[in-house]
Amino acid sequence: MPTANINCARSIAIKARPLAGAWWRIAAAIALLPGLTGIAAAQAPAERAADEPRVNADPTFPFANEVAAFAKANEANSGAPGAVLFLGSSSIRLWNTQASFPDRSTVNRGFGGATTPDVLRHYPRLFPKAEPRSVLVYIGENDLAAGATPDTVARNILTLLKKLRADYPKARIAYLSLKPSPIRWTLWPKMAAVNMTVAARSRVGGFDYLDVGSSLLAHDGLPDASLFGPDGLHMNGRGYSRWNRLVDGWLDRMEMAAAPAPRPLSLSN
């Protein structure tokens, strides 16, 4: 019996060795998982940073449906040539451009919650067939609200403006500065950094930079709440009236600059 017990124990030990080795290999693999995960993350495509802000900041108006409506409208109507094209997020979408600029033909291509990567992603479906005379862009605010860095936001904005410049070489293009608002006041330093970067590149990029944010500040340097709606984010009619004056003045200056110089009068006997 003692011999049988010894032999049995040896048999169990011999059979256990391969199993113990298997467990050792499994434990080693588990220990390596954090490192492998870090390596995989480091090797992720660099362009992922531009796609990170996927949170729809305005879920009431899903932009995918609006983009589909834009494409359908473009197919049904080529649009008036020489129109003023407004492009961007909900600050553009809520802007009654037709009523604000009754003496101009306007096309509104704003969709709620849009980030700059969203505009770039849907770019081919946004524009009317007729080439616009002027393009005004407001985008980037939702990018920062979703967590993108100012450097990433500015880089994506400049990519969009470069694409517009290439596709519409004769159009006048302006970028409207990111606006301060009561509910997003903590983001203002980041917005100011984006504005500064885009403004510094305006001359080289062939576009104008319009400071529309300063017009929304009160005397104490804080956002004037009377210019915003109850949500503290979107402007009301009084806020848009300030943008109307700034944009209308810019359009007038651009038209005067493009107008041919009058011919000098010739005196004849």
Side-chain angles (χ1 to χ4, degrees):
M1 289 294 294
T3 304
N5 288 340
I6 292 173
N7 292 336
C8 183
R10 287 177 180 174
S11 176
I12 294 173
I14 293 171
K15 291 180 179 179
R17 285 174 187 170
L19 184 60
W23 278 111
W24 181 86
R25 288 192 293 270
I26 293 171
I30 293 173
L32 288 174
L33 279 177
L36 294 174
T37 304
I39 294 172
Q43 293 177 343
E47 57 268 18
R48 178 181 295 179
D51 294 331
E52 284 176 357
R54 296 298 302 126
V55 178
N56 190 339
D58 194 1
T60 307
F61 302 91
F63 56 76
N65 293 340
E66 297 184 22
V67 171
F70 295 154
K72 185 176 180 180
N74 293 340
E75 291 298 324
N77 185 4
S78 60
V84 181
L85 173 64
F86 291 80
L87 174 67
S89 56
S90 54
S91 291
I92 295 291
R93 176 182 61 80
L94 295 172
W95 197 347
N96 190 343
T97 55
Q98 290 184 348
S100 299
F101 308 96
D103 57 338
R104 307 180 192 276
S105 175
T106 65
V107 177
N108 191 308
R109 289 295 184 264
F111 48 109
T115 64
T116 315
D118 292 327
V119 175
L120 290 169
R121 184 178 298 106
H122 297 291
Y123 185 94
R125 309 178 69 194
L126 297 178
F127 306 106
K129 296 178 182 178
E131 184 170 341
R133 179 178 300 176
S134 303
V135 182
L136 292 114
V137 180
Y138 183 85
I139 197 71
E141 184 178 343
N142 292 325
D143 306 41
L144 293 172
T149 65
D151 287 343
T152 298
V153 177
R155 183 169 61 251
N156 289 336
I157 290 171
L158 292 171
T159 298
L160 173 61
L161 293 169
K162 182 179 180 179
K163 191 171 182 61
L164 288 168
R165 180 76 282 162
D167 290 342
Y168 301 114
K170 297 181 180 180
R172 299 179 292 269
I173 300 175
Y175 177 75
L176 307 182
S177 68
L178 296 182
K179 72 180 192 301
S181 62
I183 200 170
R184 288 181 174 173
W185 181 239
T186 56
L187 291 177
W188 180 239
K190 294 183 178 181
M191 293 183 183
V194 173
N195 288 339
M196 184 180 301
T197 301
V198 176
R201 297 287 299 175
S202 60
R203 185 181 297 273
V204 176
F207 63 89
D208 289 336
Y209 171 86
L210 295 185
D211 177 12
V212 296
S214 298
S215 65
L216 303 177
L217 295 175
H219 294 299
D220 58 2
L222 298 176
D224 187 345
S226 69
L227 303 176
F228 293 85
D231 62 2
L233 174 62
H234 299 104
M235 294 179 295
N236 57 26
R238 295 183 66 238
Y240 276 113
S241 67
R242 300 198 176 187
W243 280 24
N244 292 343
R245 289 195 297 269
L246 292 170
V247 170
D248 204 32
W250 177 79
L251 290 170
D252 287 341
R253 292 193 300 273
M254 294 300 100
E255 291 176 359
M256 291 179 61
R263 295 182 179 179
L265 296 176
S266 59
L267 300 177
S268 58
N269 294 333

